[in-house]
């Protein structure tokens, strides 16, 4: 599958080392996607990297949005892209968040660090549900390293007027008025019916494991917990073998998995 | 107005404690309100109190000369603060500062210690509750130490 | 299906008949002191009178006492190299006045005949078909090549010491479909091939050959030759029960056997390169010096490399233990979950070409041994 050219319409700096690209397809319109799916972004000559969709699922305005952290050669090349420049896009790939599972139940979104990016399309979806809302109750728990390393600061503020948003940072500063600590603390305290809730988790694998421990302690069944996994992705189509995780190809069987289906693999080191 | 015993009953820390024990402990407690910026505890000062936070947020901090106050953790309604009163020399390890208006119950540490000594069954029950919370706080501190969202998560040493 | 007899002296007529249909014939040739697959223009290109001696980390060509054409077992290369190319261009990218343009590179898929495909290798090709053709996404390069292949299978009558197809139920008798299938028979002064066809195009070729209907005795001798090969393997040290491999390995992801094998394994990736089913690939992107033109190439990759499992920060499988476990567990266990079959066909290549002589069948036995209470 060959990438199609997209233009960078807008580039915003989230915090040093993390940025968001707003892209428009040059040829035909970008295909629709489900929250939780990802694209392969091709930086000319440098290579491809798998990046989750973080824009609006309906592709209003025809825009594809990706939030990227500069970690290697390809992301560094993407970071250098200026507005008006082009990159290649293949996708969308993978299975997204199972929103129908949350119908009539409470939905807990639990994000850590950059893990908020793949959950943002879910938040857009939830806030724009036709009334009466199929998923009436939802809230966001968001853990980050420092107040200055949180994504989507302005939007977080705006969302907090429409839904409960609980933010916590590992290290506070004098300007920070939110919580300092780890994401498991507000999960422990939060008032929700563990037997009638669904959780979508995205963040560093260890952060997801600790959060799952807490959700299980609270009495949530494994089948109500969903996680988004990260593994090395080259093709996005299950053909190159790189993203294997036990019997799963993270690219085509995931990246979103039900914890009940993968709990045996999650505990095995270096699988 | 609610009595101290009733307020204790409502706080998760004392929930399901036999009524006579709640009444017994209530004698050690008083209602307290802190304005934003007020200190509940100061590092090195005598640790005479144990706080049940009913509402509002408290920052556990330490002051570093060239950085100012560093917040290690925030504590919210439904949680507790302070166990330095349990063991000699009964002095606070960290500062605790109200970030918002804080409503709480302040229990006198010396009074609590004496009650625990005279009522071993109550003492053991309270110790179990403290142990659980210190275990949770330790777990949280360890996770924090991992720097999970950083470029190189670590706990000081890398795995071989 | 093996209804006809082709005298060994007439074998060249088969090659020429296939060529006449427009196929390039690829088959066994002696090259670099091994039997590999390459262009075959006539019967004298074939490794007549050669065999191989194989064991753990050991492969030597030897002379046979007879003049058998197909008297050897699996060599270092499999047919994989002609279907999933070791390296190929995928797309070209060009800077234009307005931006960039990516163009797929569609390679020519030549009409090729594979001469001398063993049953284990037919199984290997079928396994790769399931990966590259039968799934939601396809590898078009593989698909185009695969569609243009004529297969001439040969029943195996000369297994090597390292072969264990009888354990994996993939041989030595050809059971999967091929265009033509042969059994080589040498009996005293007689040297001939039983030959039959499974397909229309195979039948077309067969019709043009100087064949005679097979006699009952000839059929019986051919059967006996394949039976001997099966018995040889069944009575060998590498015969084992493969029925519970998936469960065995899934139960033993923390077996000390992985630590033991990691002491010896060099993570050299040889086993994955010689394996006829290993399908992992990676891509490499490059630009020309002007920076105006870029290219993406795909090439074989191996789960034994450090970069294979790299995610930001470091590789998921940082040590040899986890890489060997990934390879073997994938091959013998998770493959069932992914593609409804084993990923191993028992060809034994990974045993012969392991520079330190690690033997997959011994590793299976070791895991079983360490699991059982002593």
């Amino acid at each position: 599958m060959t990438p199609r050219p997209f233009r960078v319409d807008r580039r915003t700096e989230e915090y040093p080392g993390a940025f968001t690209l707003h892209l428009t397809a040059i040829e035909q319109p970008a295909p629709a996607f489900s929250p939780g799916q990802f694209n392969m972004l091709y930086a000319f000559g440098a290579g491809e990297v798998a990046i989750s969709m973080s824009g609006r699922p309906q592709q209003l305005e025809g825009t594809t949005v990706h939030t990227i952290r500069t970690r290697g050669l390809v992301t560094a090349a993407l970071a250098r892209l200026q507005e008006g420049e082009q990159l290649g896009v293949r996708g969308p790939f993978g299975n997204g968040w199972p929103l129908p599972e949350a119908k009539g139940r409470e939905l807990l979104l639990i994000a850590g660090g950059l893990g908020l990016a793949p959950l943002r399309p879910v938040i857009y979806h939830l806030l724009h549900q036709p009334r009466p809302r199929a998923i009436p109750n939802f809230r966001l728990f968001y853990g980050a390293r420092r107040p200055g390393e949180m994504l989507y600061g302005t939007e977080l503020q705006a969302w907090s007027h429409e839904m409960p948003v609980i933010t916590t940072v590992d290290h506070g500063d004098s300007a920070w008025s939110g919580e300092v600590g780890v994401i498991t603390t507000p999960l422990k305290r939060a008032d929700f019916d563990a037997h009638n809730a669904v959780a979508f988790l995205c963040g560093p694998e260890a952060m997801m494991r600790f959060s799952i421990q807490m959700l299980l302690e609270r009495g949530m069944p494994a089948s109500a917990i969903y996680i988004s996994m990260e593994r090395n992705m080259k093709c996005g189509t299950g053909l190159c073998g790189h993203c294997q995780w036990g019997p799963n190809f993270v690219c085509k069987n995931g990246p979103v998995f039900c914890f009940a289906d993968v709990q045996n693999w999650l505990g095995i080191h270096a699988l | 107005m609610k009595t101290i015993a009733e307020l204790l009953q409502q706080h998760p820390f004392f929930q399901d404690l036999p009524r006579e024990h709640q009444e017994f402990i209530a004698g050690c407690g008083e209602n307290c309100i802190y304005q934003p910026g007020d200190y509940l505890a100061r590092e090195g000062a005598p640790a005479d109190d144990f706080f049940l936070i009913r509402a509002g947020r408290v920052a556990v901090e330490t002051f570093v000369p060239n950085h100012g106050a560093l917040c290690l953790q925030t504590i919210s309604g439904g949680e507790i603060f302070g166990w330095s009163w349990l063991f000699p020399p009964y002095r606070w390890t960290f500062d605790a500062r109200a970030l918002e208006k804080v409503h709480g119950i302040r229990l006198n540490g010396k009074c609590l210690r004496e009650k625990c000594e005279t009522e071993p069954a109550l003492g053991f029950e309270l110790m179990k509750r403290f142990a659980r919370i210190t275990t949770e706080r330790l777990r949280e501190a360890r996770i924090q130490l991992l720097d999970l969202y950083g470029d190189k998560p670590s706990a000081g040493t890398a795995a071989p | 299906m093996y209804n006809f007899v082709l005298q060994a002296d007439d074998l060249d007529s088969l090659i020429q008949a296939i060529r006449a249909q427009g196929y390039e014939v690829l088959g066994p040739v002696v090259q670099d002191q091994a039997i590999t697959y390459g262009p075959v223009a006539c019967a004298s290109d074939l490794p007549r009178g050669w065999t191989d001696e194989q064991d753990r980390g050991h492969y030597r060509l030897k002379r046979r006492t007879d003049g058998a054409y197909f008297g050897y077992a699996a060599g270092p290369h499999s047919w994989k190299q002609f279907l999933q190319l070791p390296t190929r261009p995928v797309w070209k990218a060009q800077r234009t006045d307005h931006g960039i343009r990516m163009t797929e590179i569609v390679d020519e898929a030549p009409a090729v005949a594979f001469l001398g495909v063993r049953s284990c290798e037919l199984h290997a090709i079928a396994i790769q078909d399931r990966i590259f053709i039968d799934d939601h996404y396809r590898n078009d390069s593989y698909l185009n090549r695969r569609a243009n292949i004529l297969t001439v299978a040969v029943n195996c009558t000369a297994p090597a010491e390292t072969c264990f197809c009888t354990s994996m139920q993939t041989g030595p008798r050809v059971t999967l479909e091929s265009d033509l299938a042969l059994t080589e028979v040498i009996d005293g002064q007689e040297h001939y091939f039983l030959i039959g066809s499974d397909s229309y195009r195979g039948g077309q070729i067969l019709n043009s050959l100087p064949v005679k209907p097979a006699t009952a005795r000839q059929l019986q001798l051919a059967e006996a030759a394949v039976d001997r090969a099966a018995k040889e393997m069944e009575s060998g040290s590498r015969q084992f029960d493969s029925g519970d491999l998936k469960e065995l390995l899934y139960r033993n992801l923390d077996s000390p056997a992985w630590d033991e094998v990691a002491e010896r394994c060099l993570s050299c990736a040889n086993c994955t390169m010689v394996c006829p089913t290993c399908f992992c690939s990676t891509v490499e992107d490059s630009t020309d010096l002007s920076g105006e033109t870029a290219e993406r190439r795909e090439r074989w990759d191996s789960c034994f490399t450090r970069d294979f499992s790299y995610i930001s920060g470091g590789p998921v499988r940082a040590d040899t233990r986890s890489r060997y476990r990934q390879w073997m567990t994938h091959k013998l266990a998770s493959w069932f979950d992914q593609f409804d079959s084993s990923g191993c066909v028992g060809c034994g290549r990974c045993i012969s070409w392991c520079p330190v002589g690690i033997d997959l069948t011994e590793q299976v036995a070791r895991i079983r041994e360490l699991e059982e209470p002593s």
Side-chain angles (χ1 to χ4, degrees):
Chain A
M1 196 188 283
T2 311
R4 293 194 289 162
F6 277 54
R7 185 183 59 241
V8 179
D9 282 338
R10 194 151 62 86
R11 180 191 192 284
T12 47
E13 196 80 2
E14 296 293 339
Y15 53 82
F19 58 99
T20 297
L21 298 179
H22 298 253
L23 311 171
T24 306
I26 303 291
E27 294 154 3
Q28 60 255 73
F33 71 93
S34 317
Q37 287 193 300
F38 65 94
N39 271 336
M40 297 298 297
L41 303 187
Y42 171 62
F44 186 86
E48 275 186 316
V49 63
I51 306 285
S52 287
M53 308 289 194
S54 51
R56 294 174 195 277
Q58 291 78 26
Q59 296 282 7
L60 303 172
E61 312 108 41
T63 303
T64 301
V65 183
H66 291 289
T67 296
I68 304 159
R69 187 169 172 187
T70 314
R71 293 298 294 267
L73 285 174
V74 180
T75 49
L78 292 170
R80 286 193 295 271
L81 286 174
Q82 302 293 313
E83 290 174 3
E85 292 192 300
Q86 293 185 8
L87 72 165
V89 177
R90 290 192 293 138
F93 296 118
N95 293 312
W97 303 105
L99 281 159
E101 289 296 313
K103 259 185 197 151
R105 298 155 88 181
E106 177 159 13
L107 177 56
L108 312 177
L109 305 177
I110 302 163
L114 213 71
L116 181 57
L119 283 168
R120 187 165 70 163
V122 176
I123 296 171
Y124 288 141
H125 171 88
L126 293 170
L127 293 177
H128 291 97
Q129 294 175 91
R131 288 167 198 269
R133 288 170 157 178
I135 306 168
N137 294 315
F138 47 90
R139 65 179 105 180
L140 170 67
F141 298 87
Y142 182 32
R145 195 174 185 216
R146 297 177 189 285
E149 295 180 24
M150 300 186 94
L151 296 178
Y152 317 136
T154 323
E155 274 187 304
L156 274 175
Q157 276 291 330
W159 294 337
S160 68
H161 299 299
E162 298 184 69
M163 63 188 278
V165 174
I166 302 99
T167 51
T168 173
V169 294
D170 281 352
H171 311 282
D173 58 25
S174 52
W176 176 249
S177 60
E179 292 191 32
V180 176
V182 290
I183 194 81
T184 51
T185 313
L187 287 180
K188 177 179 68 189
R189 232 177 22 228
D191 175 29
F192 60 85
D193 177 5
H195 300 286
N196 196 30
V198 179
F200 293 175
L201 288 81
C202 188
E205 203 169 306
M207 166 263 172
M208 293 196 288
R209 293 206 313 265
F210 297 129
S211 301
I212 290 168
Q213 274 181 26
M214 181 54 72
L215 295 173
L216 296 175
E217 259 175 56
R218 292 286 313 259
M220 241 174 130
S223 58
I225 302 172
Y226 293 84
I227 59 174
S228 179
M229 288 295 294
E230 183 196 2
R231 282 294 181 270
N232 188 358
M233 297 202 201
K234 292 283 184 194
C235 68
T237 55
L239 297 174
C240 81
H242 281 257
C243 66
Q244 283 181 83
W245 178 48
N248 303 296
F249 291 92
V250 173
C251 72
K252 71 170 183 185
N253 305 122
V256 175
F257 292 97
C258 179
F259 173 64
D261 298 334
V262 295
Q263 51 187 328
N264 292 339
W265 310 115
L266 200 60
I268 294 166
H269 296 178
L271 189 69
Chain B
M1 188 162 160
K2 285 178 179 163
T3 64
I4 295 294
E6 282 166 345
L7 292 177
L8 291 183
Q9 167 70 31
Q10 286 170 2
H11 195 279
F13 186 81
F14 283 112
Q15 240 163 35
D16 307 323
L17 202 68
R19 182 154 291 276
E20 68 268 23
H21 283 160
Q22 277 168 355
E23 302 278 350
F24 191 49
I25 292 165
C28 296
E30 58 182 352
N31 234 322
C32 60
I33 292 176
Y34 292 87
Q35 298 302 326
D38 286 355
Y39 283 89
L40 285 73
R42 298 302 298 249
E43 180 180 327
D48 294 331
D49 304 310
F50 164 49
F51 295 92
L52 302 177
I53 311 298
R54 293 173 52 221
R57 190 150 43 202
V58 176
V60 181
E61 300 177 332
T62 193
F63 189 84
V64 179
N66 50 345
H67 285 95
L70 293 184
C71 177
L72 301 157
Q73 190 180 23
T74 52
I75 290 170
S76 306
E79 297 185 287
I80 64 150
F81 171 74
W83 43 64
S84 296
W85 56 273
L86 269 167
F87 307 104
Y90 311 122
R91 288 187 184 277
W92 295 119
T93 316
F94 296 110
D95 293 336
R97 186 168 59 94
L99 293 170
E100 308 161 346
K101 190 172 182 183
V102 169
H103 293 262
I105 302 164
R106 188 167 53 221
L107 294 151
N108 181 271
K110 187 158 177 286
C111 173
L112 269 182
R113 287 198 304 269
E114 286 168 2
K115 295 249 195 265
C116 289
E117 295 292 347
T118 54
E119 275 280 353
L122 168 64
F124 179 62
E125 182 56 38
L126 288 189
M127 281 304 146
K128 280 199 292 188
R129 293 180 183 219
F130 273 112
R132 187 191 171 105
I133 289 175
T134 47
T135 308
E136 285 172 2
R137 295 267 168 95
L138 177 62
R139 173 166 72 174
E140 289 157 10
R142 283 172 167 169
I143 297 174
Q144 225 171 338
L145 194 64
L146 286 172
D147 193 19
L148 289 173
Y149 310 122
D151 284 344
K152 285 188 164 63
S154 75
T157 53
Chain C
M1 72 177 261
Y2 303 96
N3 298 327
F4 298 95
V5 165
L6 178 73
Q7 290 303 317
D9 290 341
D10 294 328
L11 182 61
D12 193 58
S13 66
L14 170 64
I15 295 168
Q16 302 318 325
I18 297 169
R19 282 159 59 97
Q21 296 285 322
Y23 292 95
E24 181 192 5
V25 178
L26 296 173
V29 291
V30 172
Q31 191 189 14
D32 301 333
Q33 298 176 56
I35 292 169
T36 64
Y37 297 134
V40 170
C42 55
S44 57
D45 288 342
L46 297 171
R48 185 172 194 187
W50 286 102
T51 189
D52 45 47
E53 178 185 271
Q54 301 195 44
D55 205 340
R56 292 179 210 87
H58 179 92
Y59 181 99
R60 294 287 182 276
L61 277 190
K62 277 195 342 188
R63 276 285 176 195
R64 292 180 64 92
T65 52
D66 60 23
Y69 284 99
F70 298 98
Y72 57 86
H77 298 301
S78 67
W79 301 102
K80 178 172 86 172
Q81 61 182 315
F82 305 112
L83 294 170
Q84 185 200 6
L85 299 186
T87 173
R88 68 179 179 98
V90 183
W91 77 59
K92 259 188 165 38
Q94 190 87 37
R95 283 196 193 280
T96 65
D97 292 344
H98 307 292
I100 58 173
R101 188 189 306 126
M102 279 65 67
T103 319
E104 186 183 359
I105 297 174
V106 182
D107 52 355
E108 288 286 308
V112 169
F114 290 171
L115 171 63
V117 185
R118 295 295 158 88
S119 178
C120 60
E121 299 184 307
L122 282 175
H123 278 270
I125 293 169
I127 287 171
Q128 284 217 324
D129 286 351
R130 286 197 281 280
I131 297 158
F132 289 136
I133 301 176
D134 295 352
D135 207 53
H136 178 63
Y137 293 103
R138 290 170 166 180
N139 175 334
D140 289 332
S141 168
Y142 180 95
L143 173 65
N144 293 339
R145 286 168 185 281
R146 184 71 182 88
N148 262 345
I149 300 299
L150 181 107
T151 49
V152 183
V154 172
N155 280 289
C156 184
T157 51
E161 187 63 32
T162 44
C163 290
F164 57 101
C165 65
T166 46
S167 299
M168 305 309 296
Q169 287 88 47
T170 56
R173 183 170 276 102
V174 172
T175 51
L176 297 182
E177 207 169 277
S178 60
D179 293 294
L180 288 160
L182 312 172
T183 310
E184 185 168 23
V185 179
I186 298 179
D187 183 45
Q189 293 306 305
E190 287 184 78
H191 186 183
Y192 56 87
F193 293 92
L194 266 286
I195 184 166
S197 82
D198 257 352
S199 71
Y200 175 75
R201 44 186 197 175
Q204 294 281 92
I205 291 164
L206 186 56
N207 284 341
S208 68
L209 300 180
V211 292
K212 287 193 178 134
T215 64
R217 181 176 164 275
Q218 285 170 323
L219 284 170
Q220 199 187 346
L221 282 172
E223 281 297 294
V226 184
D227 281 343
R228 264 199 309 281
K231 285 215 176 62
E232 204 177 298
M233 283 181 279
E234 280 160 7
S235 60
S237 62
R238 290 184 174 84
Q239 181 70 25
F240 67 98
D241 176 9
S242 65
D244 67 340
L245 282 182
K246 177 178 142 179
E247 292 73 19
L248 176 75
L249 293 184
Y250 278 174
R251 275 199 311 273
N252 285 284
L253 293 169
D254 283 317
S255 170
W258 306 117
D259 299 285
E260 291 174 4
V261 74
E263 293 282 311
R264 299 161 60 207
C265 175
L266 306 176
S267 251
C268 75
N270 258 18
C271 49
T272 53
M273 296 294 107
V274 298
C275 178
T277 67
C278 269
F279 62 90
C280 289
S281 64
T282 190
V283 286
E284 284 168 347
D285 295 277
S286 59
T287 54
D288 64 2
L289 285 175
S290 72
E292 295 301 303
T293 307
E295 190 187 52
R296 158 161 288 205
R297 294 190 74 84
E298 183 188 286
R299 65 163 174 80
W300 289 359
D301 200 3
S302 169
C303 52
F304 280 95
T305 67
R306 185 180 158 82
D307 278 355
F308 188 84
S309 62
Y310 186 89
I311 52 176
S312 59
V316 172
R317 298 181 207 106
D319 57 8
T320 300
R321 175 188 183 274
S322 57
R323 292 183 208 156
Y324 189 88
R325 181 180 66 184
Q326 166 61 23
W327 178 68
M328 185 162 149
T329 310
H330 183 214
K331 197 110 297 204
L332 301 178
S334 46
W335 211 292
F336 284 98
D337 289 325
Q338 296 171 348
F339 305 109
D340 286 327
S341 78
S342 166
C344 175
V345 296
C347 71
R349 287 182 174 95
C350 56
I351 302 171
S352 300
W353 296 96
C354 174
V356 295
I358 294 169
D359 180 337
L360 181 91
T361 63
E362 283 176 0
Q363 291 309 312
V364 169
R366 183 64 180 147
I367 286 168
R368 211 182 282 283
E369 180 188 343
L370 288 171
E371 185 187 46
E372 278 160 10
S374 50

